[in-house]
Amino acid sequence: MSTPTVDQSDSTSYGSVDQLLDDVEEALLVREERITDEQAYALADLADQAMDPDDTALARMLDLAHRVRLAWCGEQVSLESILSTKTGGCPEDCAFCSQSSTFDTDVKPQAFLSAEQVTQAAIDAQASGATEFCMVLAIKGPDDKAMAHILESVEVIHEHTDLEVAVSAGLLDAEQARTLAAAGVVRYNHNLESAESFFPRICSTHSWQERLDTCRHVRDAGMELCSGGILGMGESPRQRAELALALASLEPTEVPVNFLNPRPGTPLDQQLVLDPRVALHGVALFRLIIPWAMLRYAGGREVVLGDLQGTGLLGGANGMIIGNYLTTLGRTPQQDIEMLSELQIPVKALTGLL
């Protein structure tokens, strides 16, 4: 399985936006096949035009991405709630993360949540409209203690709710992946975070290849793979396409799209947030490169997109994390549900939930 990287000096042969978008539409909506790497990078090159409100390139990309989403995935939007069951104290030095013990941030290490705390959080998530529940642990990868905590939590969530359970607990080996799958974990999240060519700028304590290997173990164990990244860490538009192409090669079920919300005390705390139009370009770009996946709005959407969040849901996204994120506050679930209602977008929900 190849993982494409990009030479930033590469250029494409597309002479016009019209021809590019016509060819992409032909591939995705007529032939029902994925676009080429050349087309992906050509779409990435439209990021500069996306910043111009008088240019139609972004509107056309968003319209095409929405039609692709409807054709490949349907109308419904999925809502997911996440819970950090082990917060802070992570030994890794990911430059965007305030949970790293390497940086001086306001996030302090906390012990594992109890089974009762996990159960109540899951019950509350289901009551607020979530159909999935993701447990997140701030660790490099699970040791025996962490695995025991995960397995106990999965059991109590299944006992008290109808939620599908997902887990995000760092790097896995093949045996750990098989154990989680056998326990009923439907989906495992492990983001590639960035393009391989950009990754050394954000992390030195583990490699991009280790992340890729974990994703492959998840797939081989029979779990669904949830893997995405963060936009706005200083990467180029072409590196966003590189990341999306690498993700596409893994055939993930779900792709979280996060937007950097710079955290005080981290190396990226002075990074400017993305222009909202560039962020929307990124959403459309990911949809056109990964047409089949659940493209889930995740962290930073409120800060970066503000009132334009609904535009992304009409431009390729078909999932959202609702409620609070790991170390930052989100909107209330009710605000997101009201937004979906105003947009007349149906919500994927368990029977009797909404």
Side-chain angles (χ1 to χ4, degrees):
M1 185 182 295
S2 62
T3 54
T5 58
V6 58
D7 178 346
Q8 295 303 306
S9 66
D10 283 351
S11 61
T12 66
S13 60
Y14 281 98
S16 73
V17 174
D18 288 343
Q19 185 62 58
L20 169 61
L21 294 178
D22 286 348
D23 287 354
V24 169
E25 181 173 356
E26 171 79 17
L28 291 169
L29 295 180
V30 179
R31 299 198 304 274
E32 298 182 346
E33 61 187 33
R34 285 153 59 172
I35 65 174
T36 66
D37 290 8
E38 180 188 23
Q39 290 167 337
Y41 289 124
L43 289 169
D45 290 341
L46 298 181
D48 287 342
Q49 291 176 241
M51 294 184 68
D52 181 358
D54 295 324
D55 194 290
T56 62
L58 176 60
R60 295 174 63 192
M61 270 188 72
L62 290 168
D63 173 69
L64 177 56
H66 183 58
R67 288 186 286 126
V68 168
R69 189 264 273 192
L70 294 176
W72 286 66
C73 303
E75 288 186 302
Q76 292 185 327
V77 166
S78 168
L79 306 181
E80 180 183 47
S81 177
I82 61 175
L83 176 70
S84 179
T85 67
K86 194 282 179 185
T87 303
C90 181
E92 305 305 284
D93 68 353
C94 301
F96 53 83
C97 186
S98 59
Q99 299 199 66
S100 171
S101 60
T102 307
F103 313 134
D104 183 16
T105 72
D106 292 336
V107 178
K108 304 306 177 188
Q110 298 178 18
F112 292 108
L113 295 184
S114 67
E116 292 76 16
Q117 289 172 310
V118 173
T119 300
Q120 189 58 54
I123 292 171
D124 291 345
Q126 179 166 297
S128 70
T131 58
E132 305 166 18
F133 190 77
C134 183
M135 297 185 296
V136 183
L137 287 75
I139 53 179
K140 180 173 185 175
D143 57 14
D144 290 344
K145 180 179 179 181
M147 282 294 288
H149 166 74
I150 294 168
L151 296 174
E152 180 186 19
S153 298
V154 171
E155 183 177 358
V156 297
I157 293 170
H158 283 155
E159 180 180 351
H160 294 281
T161 75
D162 297 318
L163 297 170
E164 291 187 345
V165 180
V167 172
S168 178
L171 301 171
L172 295 180
D173 60 31
E175 182 179 355
Q176 289 172 323
R178 290 192 292 269
T179 299
L180 293 177
V185 175
V186 172
R187 186 177 304 106
Y188 193 85
N189 165 258
H190 194 64
N191 292 337
L192 293 182
E193 301 296 15
S194 79
E196 183 178 11
S197 64
F198 187 76
F199 192 80
R201 291 181 54 183
I202 61 169
C203 185
S204 67
T205 49
H206 63 268
S207 69
W208 190 86
Q209 184 64 46
E210 288 178 279
R211 287 183 173 266
L212 185 73
D213 290 343
T214 291
C215 292
R216 289 173 173 167
H217 293 324
V218 169
R219 290 291 314 278
D220 291 345
M223 288 184 286
E224 294 179 357
L225 173 63
C226 171
S227 186
I230 304 173
L231 307 186
M233 294 189 291
E235 77 285 347
S236 70
R238 283 191 156 230
Q239 285 172 319
R240 292 174 205 136
E242 180 191 340
L243 169 60
L245 287 166
L247 289 167
S249 75
L250 291 166
E251 299 185 343
T253 301
E254 185 171 321
V255 177
V257 178
N258 298 276
F259 308 96
L260 182 70
N261 179 5
R263 297 290 82 211
T266 66
L268 294 179
D269 63 0
Q270 298 301 308
Q271 180 71 33
L272 296 177
V273 299
L274 276 181
D275 180 284
R277 294 178 63 85
V278 174
L280 290 172
H281 171 270
V283 172
L285 178 68
F286 270 59
R287 170 56 66 202
L288 297 175
I289 295 175
I290 317 171
W292 66 87
M294 172 73 66
L295 196 62
R296 193 179 293 281
Y297 258 164
R301 61 184 168 94
E302 296 89 353
V303 172
V304 174
L305 291 171
D307 292 339
L308 292 177
Q309 289 180 70
T311 304
L313 290 167
L314 298 175
N318 62 333
M320 292 193 299
I321 292 177
I322 61 172
N324 295 331
Y325 305 110
L326 300 179
T327 60
T328 59
L329 299 178
R331 306 200 303 178
T332 67
Q334 190 58 38
Q335 285 177 301
D336 284 328
I337 292 171
E338 288 175 358
M339 176 178 67
L340 292 169
S341 177
E342 290 171 0
L343 295 171
Q344 299 183 330
I345 297 175
V347 177
K348 176 185 178 183
L350 296 174
T351 301
L353 249 180
L354 295 178

